[in-house]
Amino acid sequence: MNAPVRVARDYESGQEVRWCPGCGDYAILRAVQKTLAELDADPSNTVFVSGIGCAARLPYYLATYGFHTIHGRAPAIATGLKLANPELDVWLVTGDGDGLSIGAGHLLHLLRRNLNCQLLLFNNEAYGLTKGQYSPTSRIGTVTPSSPAGSVGDPVSACRFALGSGARFVARGIDTRIAELQATLSAAHAFPGTAFVEILQNCIVYNDGVFADFTERSVAAERQIHVVHGEPLRFGPDLNRGLILDRDAFALRAVSVGADGVPEQEVLVHDQTNRALATLLATMEGPDLPLAVGVLFAEEGPVFEVAVRDQVEERGHLPLSDLLRRTSTWKVSP
Amino acid sequence: MNAPVRVARDYESGQEVRWCPGCGDYAILRAVQKTLAELDADPSNTVFVSGIGCAARLPYYLATYGFHTIHGRAPAIATGLKLANPELDVWLVTGDGDGLSIGAGHLLHLLRRNLNCQLLLFNNEAYGLTKGQYSPTSRIGTVTPSSPAGSVGDPVSACRFALGSGARFVARGIDTRIAELQATLSAAHAFPGTAFVEILQNCIVYNDGVFADFTERSVAAERQIHVVHGEPLRFGPDLNRGLILDRDAFALRAVSVGADGVPEQEVLVHDQTNRALATLLATMEGPDLPLAVGVLFAEEGPVFEVAVRDQVEERGHLPLSDLLRRTSTWKVSP
Amino acid sequence: MRFRLRETTLQPPANLTPSTGGIVVRFAGDSGDGIQLSGMRLTMAAALGGKGVSTLPDFPAEIRAPAGTTYGVSAFQLRVGEGEVLTPGDTPDVLVAFNPASLKTNISDLDRNGLLVVDSGTFTARSLKKAGYDDNPLEADSLNGVRTLTPDITRHTIDAVKEFDLGQKGSLRCRNMWAVGLTLWLLDRDTSEAEHWIRNRFGDTPVGNANLAALKAGHAYGETTELPGLDLLQTREAPHDWAPGEYRTITGAEALAFGLAAAAERTGLDIVFCAYPITPASTLLHQLSAMRRRNVLTFQAEDEIGAACAAIGASYGGALGVTSSSGPGISLKAEALGLAVAVELPLVVVNSQRAGPSTGMPTKTEQADLLQALYGRHGEAPLVVLAPRSPSDCYTTAIEAAGIAIRHMTPVMILSDAFIASTSEPWRLPEPVISGSEAVEFRTDPEGFEPFARDPDTLARAWVKPGTPGLEHRIGGLEKSAGSGGISYDPDNHQIMNDARIAKVAQVACALPPAAAEGPEDASLCVVTWGSTFGVAREALAHCRATGTVAAHIHLRHLHPLPANLGDLLASYRRILVPEVNSGQLVRVLRDRFLVDAESLPKVTGKPFRVDELIGAIEARAKTVS
Amino acid sequence: MRFRLRETTLQPPANLTPSTGGIVVRFAGDSGDGIQLSGMRLTMAAALGGKGVSTLPDFPAEIRAPAGTTYGVSAFQLRVGEGEVLTPGDTPDVLVAFNPASLKTNISDLDRNGLLVVDSGTFTARSLKKAGYDDNPLEADSLNGVRTLTPDITRHTIDAVKEFDLGQKGSLRCRNMWAVGLTLWLLDRDTSEAEHWIRNRFGDTPVGNANLAALKAGHAYGETTELPGLDLLQTREAPHDWAPGEYRTITGAEALAFGLAAAAERTGLDIVFCAYPITPASTLLHQLSAMRRRNVLTFQAEDEIGAACAAIGASYGGALGVTSSSGPGISLKAEALGLAVAVELPLVVVNSQRAGPSTGMPTKTEQADLLQALYGRHGEAPLVVLAPRSPSDCYTTAIEAAGIAIRHMTPVMILSDAFIASTSEPWRLPEPVISGSEAVEFRTDPEGFEPFARDPDTLARAWVKPGTPGLEHRIGGLEKSAGSGGISYDPDNHQIMNDARIAKVAQVACALPPAAAEGPEDASLCVVTWGSTFGVAREALAHCRATGTVAAHIHLRHLHPLPANLGDLLASYRRILVPEVNSGQLVRVLRDRFLVDAESLPKVTGKPFRVDELIGAIEARAKTVS
Ligand SMILES: Cc1ncc(C[n+]2csc(CCOP(=O)(O)OP(=O)(O)O)c2C)c(N)n1
Ligand SMILES: Cc1ncc(C[n+]2csc(CCOP(=O)(O)OP(=O)(O)O)c2C)c(N)n1
Ligand code: SF4
Ligand code: SF4
Ligand SMILES: [Mg+2]
Ligand SMILES: [Mg+2]
């Protein structure tokens, strides 16, 4: 392979970036630009489609084609776009409000159809752009202007929702782990079908530190597990911890590995083609279990726009004048 | 307990039932009426809320309160209704199109909020009322007026979607198994929270026999497993088959039990509080695995309208005139 | 450099010879009785015989109601006449009722001098009860002396097809062909078209032969019982000279589908048709799906919002996005249409109007979405609105809508309706479409490119396909700087862009043919119509003129923008009457724009106007004017 | 037996004494500079001193833009005068700019004879560059001779609060109070209200004491440097006699919230307020959520469709459902509103209009959703439309909307806007609400119950709470039989129900006060306004009269139905001018209904009209009329 001819800067649109200073979106933008450079993506063949929200401003900052659409509908717009031109490399950008509140229905159908695109869901557990109300991913009790006594109702787990919706590629990244995020974005790009990537993103204004429990540098190693297909599910500062299957409880358990713990070979090996395992990984929550990061699930299947186009190509294409005559006609002579 | 004072007939509204002759909806209507009788439900405190579709006509045929709303929005309407009056006993009726296509977003949020109601999703893998187009649950290749070359895109698995959406009660019934369906409806009614019940329903006009593979009397015993919490997962004409966990593949497997198979105690015992197990059960598909019927998952949690009302009751209720004065005021004297 | 459409080729013919006579036949029976099929056979037989014909199918709201119920009755009405038959007729002259339920629901419509044909074999105690009859109406004196034929069609059919061993059920399926045979006799038509069709459809099978036998037996029954031909009933009309050419019958939904396919062909664009099923719009989805064309993709979306958005995405991608719905589905698209207006992409929206509000009466017709089409979005969000006047006109309207959408980079809404979508008429096949004859040129030149710079003629911005090197840019629903397209909150810029969006749509009027009045120069009363009310108005006016009532007719195909000369034209009448199948919508627009005291003639019953209703209204007003 | 509302108590006062003078102050600085807070202190000081005041906050579109950038500038404008100050003023007389960026974005608005105050301490090379200045405008001659004060506020503040050890950042946070102190001096007001507020907010803490010190230092600066008081700048106005009572300041969003709470109290109903966040409507959601009232539940739905549907569900359940949104969110509710119309349930819809189309300019104002409110649903789906004219009027409008919705069993839309929601004015506290004074009686009697039978006065059907024994029934969006409510496809019934829905809404007009013109009897020009354009029109007309231009003013609060006498009233003017912050919408309605040649004065910049714009337009037309 040749060395990439483009660098991250080449993907900057030059438009002034208008997120709040310190917002996690900056890091994600950088990761996207670097990934594009790494892929040597052709800007003129790349389209970023977004809904509405702080996250959804991303396309303005990229020197590719971009469509900042309406709230929650980016998946539907992208579907039409790919039907019109399956050759385009399409990225979707959405937020926890855009994608999981108003847009959840479209997201479900994008995922089950398996349109070939990458979908980045910036999850800050808040509605940033509208000034900080709780979102569908906010934890119970979140105090915001619309929930002064704390929010009510279980939050949506983004990755569990995606898996339940039939997504064929589900991954998770964090705004503070840019190198891993880039790797995940590359994997998403390589996947033929809808690649769903949840990115935990800190909203410094309305929800600062909501992920600190497992993103703070001091605890990151203990509280995050970076999963890799075919590798044992190990984590911790010295990879001294691992996940095993508690067969009776039908659940995952975090244990110490080695000398004072379970033997190495008992640690589960990550199998990204197993939806059941991916669902367990996706729903791990502290304090006993680490947060799973990386590609949780990937299983190829028929790609929507390819299947549609194939059907069309197989069709006979009668001249229109014949089509008009597929019923009885009669002639009136002059 | 006293013997029920009402019988199924008492729940008939007297309105002429206008489904196609032979439609599975008739059997479900009957099961609902019988369940209501069994529960001795007070018709004046019972409300059926539906969207649009053949299924959604059900409220007209019940002598309770009924609201036939708009396509896909019954969950949202029911949420407002319960907020206004949490005492009402609310049932939702939807179809695979109504609930999983246009209404999927609302359904997600109903489920995660855990409003106390029962939701019956009549799944006939078709849009009945609009004359037979494929629906989100139609299998790939389904030929309909809108998919003459066969439908494209993985179908939604209703129960997997519900589980992924955080539903706390997920069950499945079949229009041909009315006794079991009644038991499931009773369990749904007893559950404090949103009880999601998928009901496989034969559309005799547009999708006749689509479930025949496991509903035909001749194969039913072999191809259905009726799960009961705390009971071993056994099925077959003489309960001679059972489900075990294939620990390496992290998947369920159907095996023969007893003499020429695995020992009885290896058969998994159904634990309806385990979401991972429920997900595996929900997604079992032929020919190797039976269809799971009954209560797949049930785990209580905070009930939405109760939590909302509790917050409100905890509030101080200032006289309005004090509220108006929570900022500086000044007086102009005559 | 940009796409040009030769408008003039696309106008529907200006001159018509509306038939004011003819004969109206209605078949009515159970959904399973093959009513629609029978109707089509009569239609074809008439059309092939050089007659004009207009049809009105009427399906029950239920998918498949239990046999013999009144709410399960299916009907098909057709009117046959000389010249252009513009309406399916007010009241049937002949009613063929296949069972008691269909008699019950249809008898009140029958013309007092009409002929009733019933299959007396179906008037059993059980089916009478199902239909809600206490007494047998054929015996009781309840038919009020209507001329009635009561052949036992059931018996006759079974006898006729006995030899083909179809069993009871299969034999009864041929009843409709027996009735077609008899009706053809009554109409003085032969059975050759029907025979041909049966042969084509069933080949030389027992079913085919049985149907043929039934058809012939029915015809023979008329002949041998020496029933008088119904031409006696007809107002005598001069035979019509049809323009030479090849003809077929067509419904509005079919014509829209062909028109969209033709637009794809002409422009060289793919059409991505995005819809969610809904009555009555679904028919168009089905038609296009069945066409199996390489350049017309159909996409069944998860809902109407998704469908509208997918169509916008397709247009953004360089195809022509089309979205189609009815009633509730159109309401749901409001926000997405606003986006299309703001980003200035071409889009065709087909609204097959049905009776509202809310779910309303899904299978019934109405013209009550006009004001919504004009004003139903937040903010100032103008778009182009067209309405076809007849089934065949749907073809040209679809082509014209596509052309305007592309030329002006704007959404265009087509207001069809439940009536026009399902009624059919003879249609002279259009000139062959030349592939690429109106090919669209996308912008590819990066030199001086600005996404929101405007073409001075059309005021449209350039259409750029993503994938084009050097033209990378970002668009969205936020207000944009004129020219550059960057996000702008500048007050003056907002005014400029707002005015530009309005002017761009207004500009469409420049290329439109002037509105023209049909009728006597000296008329002081003018009837103004739009959409499917065309036919009934034109026919009513023909009647009026025949009886000496003077009135003119302006029919509007372009509802936004309106033709530039319309104000002047309207000013020349003392009285203006606007019949609409709504509570008065176009009339509001005319009053607002031209300050004319136009009067509304509203009708909201879920049915089109009847010719006699319009005649009455016109005559009443013509008197007071003159 | 049914709920009755004493309309007359709910009308806003007919007589006003619009101030035409006064002084306009604008504070501008970084979002973090405490600009909004400072503005409120000045407002309160003025109000407590018996002045009239009107405010205009102006937030940046970005949540928290980087400090020192032009797009991160936040501003607050207030106008102080004698009498009723109806607008926040066209151009500031005093501009207080906290940094170069705010100078840059605001200086062009300053009145030529105005006074500029800048914190010269912030004019560093770095911040000048960030603001895009090449040269220091305070040094360069670029301020065109505007009177300028350049105290080093930064330095003065740091000095004043040194003793409280707040550090650099903490000390700088007191800059705004220094500026408030100085401005109070300029306005000839004392610092007591501000002192009081600081004490209340911070208590006896270092921060509190530092703010006090800064405040006093600013005031003292004015005194010791002997700056002239700004009353010199004021047009002399007679002091205003305020009606006796207790006053506070209020924004439109607050007043709507209080009005809804009052409606709950009066009717004894719970209000279930259902919304999805969107700018600028969210403020109302926040206000109501913060109120913590037992009878006002707020529900943040998953989207606007869900919110509208939940509100309908709540009304079905016997509470009063309210839903609120802006722009795109209102468009999304179209289908659900049609359902509310069809099932005839009460519903209040609050539309805080913003600049469109599509996402448009979310923080900017517009009145461009009127025609959508009237016509934006499929089918004939009439509902009631009201618009408040000022922040305080939002209170009465909310109560009236709730009353009409309940009395007539209909959706009522309130057309507020971004401007009215955020501007504030003094408000005399209303008479105490008496709980249950307008208690609603639900139908409970099964005797003769029919769900769609109508009250002869209001034409409303009965409201029944599910849970009521003996009244079990089914409703839905399909057409219903008049009376019984059973599904009906009957043509005549559809006409009857359609007419009834229209008549029911029209009936609301009977209880409305007649429209009245304000102004000279002999005027031949009349200005017609609706919504937030009231204040600017009334003030402009006061100006005009003062200078001898004769014109009348009709302000419409009820947009559908219109007051019954409006046609006659309009007919008495030779010329009618309709200023609207849109491209002409009410004007269309007036022309259509009354065939008057009303002229539109459109403005679509995302900003309200300026008084001088209206004066110019009125004077130009008054000349040609007389
Ligand atoms: C139809 C519609 N409803 C509501 C809004 C207002 N709105 C804009 S962004 C947003 C939520 C954004 O939340 P999220 O997707 O989590 O993005 P974030 O700002 O947190 O990145 C909302 C409700 C809108 N623009 N359009
Ligand atoms: C907004 C809207 N879109 C579309 C329709 C048309 N429609 C009515 S029912 C239906 C689908 C019904 O399918 P399903 O929910 O599976 O119910 P079934 O008829 O199969 O029982 C559709 C698309 C509608 N009424 N409203
Ligand atoms: S509000 Fe939050 S998410 Fe939005 S730009 Fe600011 S920090 Fe980022
Ligand atoms: S169309 Fe299908 S689902 Fe609908 S009533 Fe008929 S059989 Fe039942
Ligand atoms: Mg967010
Ligand atoms: Mg279905």
Side-chain angles (χ1 to χ4, degrees), chain D residues 353-379:
Chain D
Q353 299 165 95
R354 67 186 219 187
S358 195
T359 313
M361 308 196 299
T363 54
K364 305 297 175 192
T365 200
E366 213 156 274
Q367 298 186 286
D369 298 355
L370 173 60
L371 291 173
Q372 181 190 40
L374 298 175
Y375 304 126
R377 295 157 296 281
H378 68 277

Side-chain angles (χ1 to χ4, degrees), chain B residues 52-55 71 95-98 102 124 126-130, chain C residues 276-278 304 328 332, chain D residues 335:
Chain B
I52 299 282
C54 293
H71 199 32
D96 44 323
D98 191 61
I102 192 168
N124 55 12
Y127 291 168
L129 192 68
T130 51
Chain C
Y276 183 69
I278 190 165
E304 288 88 351
L332 284 170
Chain D
E335 190 207 6

Side-chain angles (χ1 to χ4, degrees), chain D residues 522 524-525 548-550 574-575 619-626:
Chain D
D522 60 341
S524 49
L525 170 65
T549 301
V550 178
R574 298 238 320 271
R575 192 154 183 178
E619 285 179 349
R621 278 146 191 97
K623 275 192 205 100
T624 64
V625 182
S626 51

Side-chain angles (χ1 to χ4, degrees), chain A residues 4 59 61 75 91 98 106 109 118 147 159 204-205 211 227 247 259 269 284 294 296 327:
Chain A
Y61 309 134
W91 299 72
D98 191 62
H106 305 295
H109 291 283
Q118 300 72 246
S147 57
C159 289
I204 198 164
V205 172
F211 302 119
V227 307
R247 296 171 188 214
V269 170
M284 288 194 305
L296 308 182
T327 181

Side-chain angles (χ1 to χ4, degrees), chain C residues 183-496:
Chain C
T183 311
L184 287 171
W185 164 261
L186 292 170
L187 293 174
D188 198 16
R189 305 251 72 84
D190 70 27
T191 56
S192 55
E193 193 284 336
E195 287 176 40
H196 186 74
W197 179 86
I198 293 171
R199 271 280 161 267
N200 256 353
R201 166 102 174 219
F202 300 108
D204 185 10
T205 61
V207 169
N209 293 327
N211 272 293
L212 277 180
L215 176 77
K216 287 182 185 154
H219 202 258
Y221 179 90
E223 199 166 347
T224 53
T225 54
E226 294 191 344
L227 290 177
L230 284 177
D231 51 354
L232 300 177
L233 287 171
Q234 293 188 43
T235 321
R236 290 261 165 243
E237 295 185 288
H240 180 65
D241 273 343
W242 294 90
E246 191 176 358
Y247 286 77
R248 57 166 286 171
T249 63
I250 196 154
T251 65
E254 285 168 341
L256 276 174
F258 288 131
L260 290 173
E265 217 69 30
R266 292 160 57 114
T267 58
L269 295 177
D270 281 357
I271 281 190
V272 180
F273 179 91
C274 308
Y276 183 69
I278 190 165
T279 306
S282 304
T283 323
L284 180 55
L285 168 64
H286 301 168
Q287 295 285 353
L288 286 169
S289 302
M291 270 192 190
R292 308 174 79 82
R293 298 189 75 67
R294 227 174 269 133
N295 54 0
V296 181
L297 276 74
T298 60
F299 170 55
Q300 180 178 308
E302 56 274 18
D303 60 21
E304 288 88 351
I305 298 176
C309 287
I312 292 170
S315 287
Y316 173 64
L320 177 61
V322 181
T323 188
S324 155
S325 194
S326 298
I330 292 291
S331 286
L332 284 170
K333 293 181 199 284
E335 190 207 7
L337 298 191
L339 175 67
V341 169
V343 296
E344 304 190 37
L345 281 169
L347 181 72
V348 175
V349 186
V350 184
N351 179 351
S352 299
Q353 298 166 95
R354 67 186 218 184
S358 195
T359 312
M361 307 196 301
T363 53
K364 305 297 173 189
T365 199
E366 213 157 273
Q367 297 186 286
D369 299 353
L370 172 59
L371 291 173
Q372 180 189 41
L374 298 175
Y375 304 126
R377 295 157 296 280
H378 68 277
E380 298 286 350
L383 43 73
V384 177
V385 183
L386 308 180
R389 69 184 202 184
S390 66
S392 59
D393 188 32
C394 287
Y395 179 79
T396 42
T397 307
I399 295 176
E400 189 183 357
I404 294 175
I406 294 166
R407 200 160 55 251
H408 294 270
M409 295 291 278
T410 177
V412 177
M413 189 177 287
I414 298 177
L415 291 176
S416 177
D417 60 39
F419 171 61
I420 228 171
S422 62
T423 183
S424 64
E425 64 178 4
W427 179 46
R428 184 153 64 104
L429 299 189
E431 281 174 43
V433 171
I434 299 163
S435 283
S437 57
E438 306 289 349
V440 175
E441 279 178 40
F442 290 91
R443 167 102 190 199
T444 53
D445 183 4
E447 187 63 33
F449 170 66
E450 285 201 317
F452 281 80
R454 295 182 187 281
D455 177 296
D457 283 347
T458 61
L459 301 184
R461 71 185 194 92
W463 197 3
V464 177
K465 266 195 216 187
T468 310
L471 294 186
E472 296 84 352
H473 65 283
R474 274 71 47 197
I475 63 172
L478 287 163
E479 187 57 287
K480 289 151 286 286
S481 267
S484 79
I487 299 175
S488 168
Y489 294 100
D490 178 67
D492 295 336
N493 177 73
H494 183 47
Q495 184 78 57
I496 289 167

Side-chain angles (χ1 to χ4, degrees), chain A residues 19 23 25 51-57 69-73 94-102 121-133 135-137 201 203, chain C residues 335, chain D residues 63 276-279 282 303-304 325-330 332 354 359 362:
Chain A
W19 289 308
C23 175
D25 288 348
I52 299 282
C54 293
R57 295 288 181 110
T69 68
I70 44 178
H71 199 32
R73 319 299 175 189
T94 184
D96 44 324
D98 191 62
L100 293 173
S101 198
I102 193 168
L121 187 146
F122 295 22
N123 183 3
N124 55 12
E125 299 190 1
Y127 290 169
L129 191 67
T130 50
K131 305 202 187 246
Q133 300 86 357
S135 90
T137 57
Q201 172 248 327
C203 168
Chain C
E335 190 207 7
Chain D
I63 297 297
Y276 183 70
I278 190 164
T279 304
S282 304
D303 60 21
E304 289 88 352
S325 192
S326 297
I330 293 290
L332 285 171
R354 67 186 219 187
T359 313

Side-chain angles (χ1 to χ4, degrees), chain C residues 486-552:
Chain C
I487 299 175
S488 168
Y489 294 100
D490 178 67
D492 295 336
N493 177 73
H494 183 47
Q495 184 78 57
I496 289 167
M497 286 296 278
N498 189 69
D499 294 348
R501 286 184 289 260
I502 292 173
K504 183 181 75 168
V505 169
Q507 189 76 354
V508 171
C510 301
L512 299 182
E518 190 270 351
E521 292 257 312
D522 59 342
S524 47
L525 169 67
C526 182
V527 176
V528 183
T529 57
W530 66 277
S532 62
T533 305
F534 169 78
V536 63
R538 192 55 60 100
E539 188 172 324
L541 284 162
H543 267 286
C544 288
R545 275 170 220 152
T547 58
T549 301
V550 178

